[in-house]
Amino acid sequence: MKNPALNVAILKILARVGTGLREKTLQAETEIAMDRPDLTTDEFLDSLGYLEGRGLVDNWTNLIGDKIWGVTDAGRDALKGL
């Protein structure tokens, strides 16, 4: 949990979309939401790994081979307290 604000931003974006987002699209959305054009890929992926490790987000590969990220029920529950 190196950057709680980043974790929350990712969760809020995924909860709002509901259907999941491609990894690069999610990163771009996160940069805009946080007003951080300098957000590094490593920092972003570290947060995704943290959230996935706690069962708050999950990923899958769609039919055309894109990695898609979505929020889990536990992730939605975690947002209720914020």
Side-chain angles (χ1 to χ4, degrees):
M1 185 190 281
K2 296 177 184 175
N3 189 340
L6 178 57
N7 296 337
V8 170
I10 291 170
L11 282 176
K12 284 183 176 180
I13 291 166
L14 290 175
R16 183 188 77 230
V17 174
T19 58
L21 288 172
R22 287 181 30 237
E23 191 168 284
K24 289 294 181 187
T25 305
L26 177 57
Q27 184 172 356
E29 286 279 337
T30 304
E31 289 171 355
I32 292 168
M34 295 189 67
D35 194 24
R36 289 230 10 233
D38 62 338
L39 180 66
T40 66
T41 300
D42 287 339
E43 188 178 3
F44 174 73
L45 292 176
D46 283 347
S47 283
L48 276 179
Y50 172 82
L51 294 170
E52 183 180 28
R54 274 133 190 89
L56 303 176
V57 299
D58 197 10
N59 71 75
W60 62 92
T61 303
N62 67 9
L63 294 176
I64 58 173
D66 294 328
K67 190 173 192 177
I68 306 295
W69 287 91
V71 68
T72 63
D73 290 337
R76 289 183 202 286
D77 290 344
L79 285 173
K80 289 179 184 176
L82 298 177

